[in-house]
Amino acid sequence: MAQFSLNINAQTYNIDVSPDTPLLWVLRDTLGLKGTKFGCGKALCGACTVHLDGNAIRSCSFPVSAVKGKVVTIEGLSEKGDHPLQLAWQEVDVPQCGYCQTGQIMSAAALLQRNPSPTDKDIDMAMSGNICRCGTYLRIRKAIHTAAKGGADE
Ligand code: FES
Ligand code: FES
């Protein structure tokens, strides 16, 4: 066990865990932030996506000892669930079962931070690591355009 001080959603958490504990385990089991989901556990599906200093990372495969910077989870993306992507997700009615969707939104948010007007190709590339078993890809793309351009989807 070792002590770590983590900045998550603009709060400081001091925790005592094994250094190789995946960040996802810390978020869900230690801190109770269960919006971030476990899917494959092997950095293959994107369900566990969070931000580290604005970049999308797979928290299932990111040891807590490697976390140097500010983490944002879906709980910290906006104060009232009103991030433009969250509003667009509702407008477009994106989710089916919902399981993959927090990871999808976090990847999309990282994309829009570095590219506020992505093309379909930009979106497909940025989102290619986020798997949706329900096949909501077209609605995800539409919602990203909606958030980026106020409804100007293609
Ligand atoms: S649970 Fe992390 S990528 Fe699948
Ligand atoms: S909405 Fe069901 S897995 Fe994506």
Side-chain angles (χ1 to χ4, degrees):
M1 301 290 259
Q3 300 232 327
F4 297 94
S5 180
L6 301 178
N7 183 311
I8 300 172
N9 300 333
Q11 285 189 55
T12 300
Y13 295 91
N14 295 306
I15 57 168
D16 195 1
V17 294
S18 173
D20 60 356
T21 306
L23 175 60
L24 178 60
W25 269 240
V26 172
L27 293 173
R28 290 182 57 84
D29 296 345
T30 308
L31 303 179
L33 294 167
K34 301 212 169 162
T36 308
K37 304 302 182 192
F38 172 78
C40 64
K42 296 179 178 175
L44 296 172
C45 76
C48 65
T49 303
V50 300
H51 293 180
L52 179 60
D53 285 340
N55 297 307
I57 63 164
R58 307 298 187 230
S59 62
C60 70
S61 303
F62 209 98
V64 67
S65 57
V67 176
K68 316 282 184 209
K70 295 179 180 174
V71 175
V72 175
T73 70
I74 190 73
E75 290 90 348
L77 188 62
S78 62
E79 282 193 13
K80 298 177 182 171
D82 56 356
H83 184 283
L85 282 166
Q86 290 170 308
L87 297 177
W89 243 246
Q90 290 175 50
E91 185 181 326
V92 176
D93 203 9
V94 173
Q96 190 162 316
C97 81
Y99 198 82
C100 72
Q101 297 293 330
T102 56
Q104 304 280 1
I105 289 174
M106 295 309 286
S107 284
L111 166 64
L112 291 184
Q113 277 179 23
R114 64 178 186 275
N115 180 357
S117 300
T119 64
D120 281 352
K121 193 173 170 191
D122 295 334
I123 291 171
D124 292 348
M125 280 182 60
M127 303 299 292
S128 64
N130 286 79
I131 308 301
C132 176
R133 286 182 160 217
C134 301
T136 63
Y137 300 110
L138 293 180
R139 294 202 297 275
I140 288 169
R141 192 202 273 168
K142 183 174 181 180
I144 293 172
H145 282 304
T146 299
K149 301 176 183 173
D153 56 296
E154 297 165 32

